[in-house]
Amino acid sequence: MAASSSGYYKMLFSLRKYTNKSQSLYLIDTNFVIRTIWTSGSKYQLKPKVQTKSLPQMVGVVGLEIHAQIQSTSKLFSGSHVGFLAPPNSLVSHFDASLPGTLPVLNRRCVEAAVLTGLAFNCTINRKSLFDRKHYFYADMPAGYQITQQRLPIAVDGTLVYSLFEGRRKNQVVTKSVKIKQIQLEQDSGKSLHDNEQSQTLIDLNRAGVGLMELVMEPEMCCGEEAAAAVRELQLILQALGTCQGNMAEGQLRVDANVSVHRPGEPMGVRTEVKNINSVRHMAKAIDYEIQRQMEVLQSGGTVLNETRAFDSKSGNTIPMRDKEGLQDYRFMPEPNLPPLFVYESEASVPAGVDSAQVVVIDRLSAQLPELPSVRRTRLVETYGVLREHSFMLVNEDGLMDYFESVVQMTKVEPRKVIGWVMNELMGNLNLQNRKVSQSPISPCALAELINLVESGHISSSTAKQVFQEMWKAPEKTVGQIVKEQDLWMINDKEELRKICQKIVDRHTEEVQIIRGGNKKVLNKLMGEVQRETKGRTDPVQVKDILEEMIS
Amino acid sequence: MFCKCAARASRALRPAHPRCGALQLSALSATVSASRTSWSRLTLKRESSNVNSACDSKVPQIPSWKPIDENQLPPATRVSPDLVDKLERLALVDFGSKEGVDCLEKAIRFADQLHVINTDGVDPMDSVLEDRDLYLRADTVTEGECAEELLQLAKNTVEEYFVAPPGNIPLPKREERSAMLKH
C-alpha cells in the first residue's frame, strides 16, 4: 500500500517477507469483513486422525501476542503525525529517524490508552512502570533498538472474556476466558519494501515510533476457533474504548500465535510462532493447520522445531520463515533517557506541586470507560428480549446496534420483529454488496416506516420484503411513494377480496371437490393461488376465512 | 576488531572508577532513601582523603582503585569456538584468531571484578533521573514533514525512500561468508 503512493510500484516488486514488520504492506484483503465468525465452525475439526490407542489424545495449546496500534494523533515519543497512507517518510521527525542527540518525549494520550485498555480487561495498573531498550538490527528500526516495557509493564494480570458458539446449529453460547499476562507500551517499526531484483530494501519510517500496546496472553486456548473468538472480542473492546481501530488488514492489530501440542497432564510441547496473519479467519486457519502439522510430526516420530513460521493464505499452510539461530539475544537494558512512568490512583494521590492535568489519573479514566460489548449484549437481551446469538450479531457488526435501537424507538412493534428485518433483509443486502451498516441506503427511519405499515395492515409482510428491495434500489423515494407507484397497498376491501377468491375457486373445481371431500390441506394450495393472483397483497387470515366460507 | 573494542573498553573503565569517587557517592547516599545505605559500603572502599583533596575537582587527584586478588573472582570464562562463530555471525566481524579469543577472555575477566562489589539490598539505578517525574506531552503534531531534509542525510535514496541493504536474510555459511565480506 505504501508503494502505491509512489511511482516505484511500477517496477514490480517481488515482495518477500522476513518478519511481521512489513506485514501490512501486502496481502491486504480489505474486502474481507469478518461477519460470520460466530456462525461458521472450524473447518479443520481436529479429528483423531492420528491417534495412539493407549495414550490420551494430543491437544493444541495456543497463546497469542497481539500488537495493537494506539489510536492517537501523534507518535509515542515524538510529535510527528500518525497516519496510514501518506507519502513515504513524510511523517518522520528527527527522533523517529534516530538522529543523534534526539530524545524521547512520552505522549500522554498513549499512556492513557494503555491504562484504559488495562482497566477494560481488569488488569492491575502498575503505578510505576519502566521503559527498556530491546536491541535488534533492522533497517526499519534505525536506532538499533526498540523502546518497550520488558521489566515492569504498565498493566498486568487481566482477563479477556469471550464467547464461542457451539452445538450443531452454533446457537449454544459458551463463555470462556483467557488471562492477559501484561500490556506493555512500545514503539512500532517502520516498513520495509524488499526489492529482490535489485537486492535492496526501501525504507519508509512513517510508522516508526507509532505507539503500540503489546498484549501478551497466557497459552490457554486450544484451537483456531477459540483464538478467533478471543481476537474478535478483543477487537470490539478496543474499538469501543477507542484505543485502537483494530483493523487487521491495515496492520492496526497484528497477531502472532504461539502454537504447541501435548497430551493433557504432560509438560508443554515445543512451540512454534506463527506470523504473517492478517485476518481473524486466516488466524484460525493458520493455528488449526499448525496444530495438525505438529501432531503429525510427533506421531510419525519426528520432533517439532522451535521456529518462526509464516502463514501462506493461498495454500492455507504455514512455512518456516528463517533460522532463529537459537534464542535471540535482545540485550535488554533500561532506557536511560526515560525516568520511570508514574500513574496516580486518584486526583488526591497526585503529589503536591504537580499539575494534575499533566498526569495520568486512573480514577479519571475509569469514569471514561464506555459500555463494553459484553455489557451491551446483556442490555440488548434484557431490554429488548432478543436472543443471545442475535445480541452478538448486533454488537459485532459496527453500527448495527445503534441502527436496531433507532428502528425500535420509531416503531411500536416488538423488538423481536425488528430483529428479523435487521438480520435478514438489512444484513443480507449489506453482505451481498460488501457494505457497512453506515453505508446502508435505507435509514433506520425508513425501515421503521415500512415496519409500521406492515403492523397497521396497510401492506402484507411479503409485499414489505418486495418494497424493501425497491427502497434499496431507490433510496430517494419514500416508502409511501414506492407502495403507491407499484400498487402494493393491501386489498382490504371485502368485496374485492371475495371476487378474487371466487375467481380462484371457479378455476380449481377439482381441488374444491377434494377439500369438500375432507382433505383440508389442499386449501393451502388455493390460498397460494390467491397470493399469486394478488402479488401478495392480501392478508392470509382473511383469505382463508373467505375461501372456507365459499367451499363449505 | 573485537580485540580493539575490548581494549578500549578496559581503558575507558579505569578512569571511570575514580570518577564516581567518594564525593559524589557520599552525597548520593545522603539523599537516597534508607534502603540504599549500602551505597556507603562502596564509598568506604575509596580513600577518604579524596573527599578533601577533591574539593575543586570531582576527579580524584590520585588513582583510587586497587587491584583485586584473583582468588576473589569467579572461575574464568572460557570461550568455545562455537560461541566465537556465533558472535562473529551476529556481529559480522572476524575475530576468530587465537589473539581474538584471548582478548575476549581477558575482557570478560576484567568485568569479573564487578562481582566483588557488594550490592546486597541495592536497587539497580537505571538513570540519575529516576526520582524525577517523567514529563508527558500533549497528543499534538509538532514535527514531521521534513522528508527532504532527512533524505539528504542518506547515502542512497529512491524517490522518498531510504535504501538499505537487503533485510535480515539468514547469513550464509562460514565459508561463503568470508567471500561475501570481501565485497
Side-chain angles (χ1 to χ4, degrees), chain B residues 18-80:
Chain B
R19 201 178 289 150
C20 55
L23 191 80
Q24 265 182 317
L25 283 168
S26 55
L28 240 182
S29 63
T31 53
V32 294
S33 61
S35 71
R36 295 248 172 85
T37 46
S38 42
W39 274 112
S40 55
R41 219 174 289 168
L42 269 176
T43 67
L44 290 176
K45 288 188 194 295
R46 315 282 163 230
E47 285 158 51
S48 54
S49 63
N50 274 348
V51 179
N52 302 325
S53 64
C55 286
D56 303 317
S57 167
K58 287 183 174 158
V59 182
Q61 300 307 299
I62 44 167
S64 61
W65 58 277
K66 288 178 194 163
I68 290 167
D69 199 35
E70 265 292 307
N71 60 26
Q72 282 183 272
L73 301 182
T77 308
R78 293 284 159 242
V79 180
S80 70

Side-chain angles (χ1 to χ4, degrees), chain A residues 6 74-75 78-79 89 201, chain B residues 137 139 142-143 159-160 162 164:
Chain A
S6 115
S74 64
K75 293 184 181 178
S78 77
N89 292 307
T201 305
Chain B
R137 70 180 168 83
D139 183 23
T142 53
E143 301 167 274
E159 293 184 3
E160 279 105 43
F162 294 105

Side-chain angles (χ1 to χ4, degrees), chain A residues 284-298:
Chain A
K285 256 181 141 177
I287 289 171
D288 287 337
Y289 174 85
E290 187 57 19
I291 290 173
Q292 193 63 47
R293 186 192 69 85
Q294 291 186 14
M295 283 182 179
E296 279 163 17
V297 166
L298 292 176

